[in-house]
Amino acid sequence: MKNFIKLLFIFLILPFIAVAQEDDSKDKKVKEKLERDAFESSNIIDNPSNVLLSKNALEVQMQHRFGLVNSESGNDLAGFWGDANIRIGLSYGIHERLTIGYGTTKFNRLQDFNWKVALLRQTRSNSMPVSVSYYGNFTIDARKKDKFNLEQDRYSYFNQLIIAKRFSPNVSFQIAPSVSHYNLVHPDMKNDMFSIAFGGRVKISPQTSILIDYSQPITQFDAMQPKPLFSIGAEFATSAHEFQIFVSNNNGIVAQKNYMYNQNDFFNGDFLIGFNITRIYNF
């Protein structure tokens, strides 16, 4: 818990450092031109990317995960008839450096309140070679009260630092350490899970890209050790829409749910089909 508090404190003061950096840059006579975002969408399948919304922009999100392809019932039409998870969310650009959002998820009736802050931004001259962003959420499990002894047992948190680089118009990569926290866990688990994620995009046409997303849990539990998260898919982009279709072993959708509780082993055949759709409205 102490480590979690320290990390949370660091994450909270970083935005102020970024604002100070921005104020200093205003004093310069020549302002650096910013590099384009490393990714097209606000998510690389299951992990957030470094993309933030422009000021006053509204993003509508729909994320869908079908059941496992090789389910035990064996009659789920590649998971399409199985238990599916769905999340519907909204995000809004308060500032070009700050996006806030809300989402509701079917499994466990999770209600997540999230935010993303641009701390450092990659420049075209490479004077700043990477972009650094912070993503966090506060999530409430809205199932019936008989599932919990205390109200705070419903709460979980996620904090992630996103370090991304656009190497060329066609190739981008990011690395993202994170900490997930649940107030209530199984006795054989720990309340905090430290993890690291790797994501990449290779553009194969003006509107089409290949995406890869891998996350490795680091904290070790005595039991119920979560499996690594792996997803691979394709992204199709237009001026306002992003559509991602992929295979994955994650069905929690909300980040800390995947990191703390995933028991599907992708390389042992435990994978599912999923898609993400986003639509941006600029006001």
Side-chain angles (χ1 to χ4, degrees), residues 117-140:
V117 182
L119 305 177
L120 302 172
R121 293 185 287 185
Q122 183 179 350
T123 59
R124 294 185 182 181
S125 69
N126 256 351
S127 60
M128 176 53 66
V130 298
S131 69
V132 180
S133 305
Y134 160 62
Y135 172 86
N137 77 39
F138 164 61
T139 300
I140 302 171

Side-chain angles (χ1 to χ4, degrees), residues 39-281:
F39 298 91
E40 298 287 346
S41 178
S42 55
N43 280 73
I44 310 173
I45 303 180
D46 280 303
N47 274 295
S49 72
N50 73 318
V51 175
L52 281 83
L53 299 178
S54 58
K55 186 176 180 180
N56 295 328
L58 176 69
E59 181 183 64
V60 180
Q61 309 154 356
M62 181 175 179
Q63 297 163 276
H64 195 290
R65 308 291 183 268
F66 294 100
L68 290 176
V69 171
N70 63 343
S71 64
E72 294 180 359
S73 67
N75 188 31
D76 282 340
L77 190 64
F80 285 82
W81 295 341
D83 292 333
N85 195 15
I86 302 170
R87 178 183 179 273
I88 297 175
L90 295 173
S91 293
Y92 183 74
I94 298 291
H95 183 272
E96 63 179 8
R97 282 180 177 258
L98 174 62
T99 295
I100 61 172
Y102 164 77
T104 181
T105 304
K106 176 184 173 183
F107 285 2
N108 293 354
R109 302 181 184 180
L110 300 179
Q111 314 299 308
D112 66 281
F113 301 86
N114 57 79
W115 49 92
K116 190 186 294 185
V117 182
L119 305 177
L120 302 172
R121 293 185 287 185
Q122 183 179 350
T123 59
R124 294 185 182 181
S125 69
N126 256 351
S127 60
M128 176 53 66
V130 298
S131 69
V132 180
S133 305
Y134 160 62
Y135 172 86
N137 77 39
F138 164 61
T139 300
I140 302 171
D141 187 323
R143 288 178 293 174
K144 294 181 179 179
K145 62 182 180 181
D146 59 6
K147 299 283 185 183
F148 309 95
N149 292 322
L150 301 172
E151 182 65 25
Q152 54 263 40
D153 290 344
R154 299 178 181 272
Y155 304 156
S156 64
Y157 310 84
F158 182 75
N159 292 281
Q160 187 173 58
L161 200 63
I162 303 165
I163 305 166
K165 183 172 179 61
R166 187 174 190 254
F167 289 95
S168 73
N170 296 327
V171 178
S172 299
F173 180 79
Q174 77 173 33
I175 181 171
S178 68
V179 56
S180 305
H181 176 86
Y182 274 80
N183 284 351
L184 177 66
V185 296
H186 188 275
D188 291 328
M189 299 172 63
K190 297 177 182 178
N191 295 89
D192 298 321
M193 164 59 75
F194 293 88
S195 307
I196 189 164
F198 304 90
R201 181 193 71 154
V202 177
K203 207 167 186 179
I204 58 176
S205 79
Q207 284 79 39
T208 307
S209 302
I210 301 298
L211 300 177
I212 296 179
D213 183 22
Y214 177 83
S215 303
Q216 178 64 53
I218 296 174
T219 305
Q220 295 295 307
F221 297 156
D222 294 333
M224 299 176 64
Q225 181 65 27
K227 305 293 185 184
L229 314 175
F230 181 76
S231 306
I232 183 169
E235 179 180 60
F236 307 94
T238 68
S239 59
H241 289 84
E242 302 290 338
F243 178 71
Q244 299 174 355
I245 185 167
F246 47 83
V247 291
S248 173
N249 64 332
N250 314 330
N251 67 355
I253 302 182
V254 175
Q256 59 265 45
K257 182 71 173 176
N258 285 329
Y259 279 100
M260 291 282 280
Y261 289 101
N262 176 57
Q263 294 298 313
N264 298 324
D265 187 342
F266 185 95
F267 300 102
N268 195 36
D270 299 332
F271 58 86
L272 52 86
I273 298 170
F275 63 82
N276 297 331
I277 302 174
T278 61
R279 173 69 164 93
I280 296 178
Y281 300 89

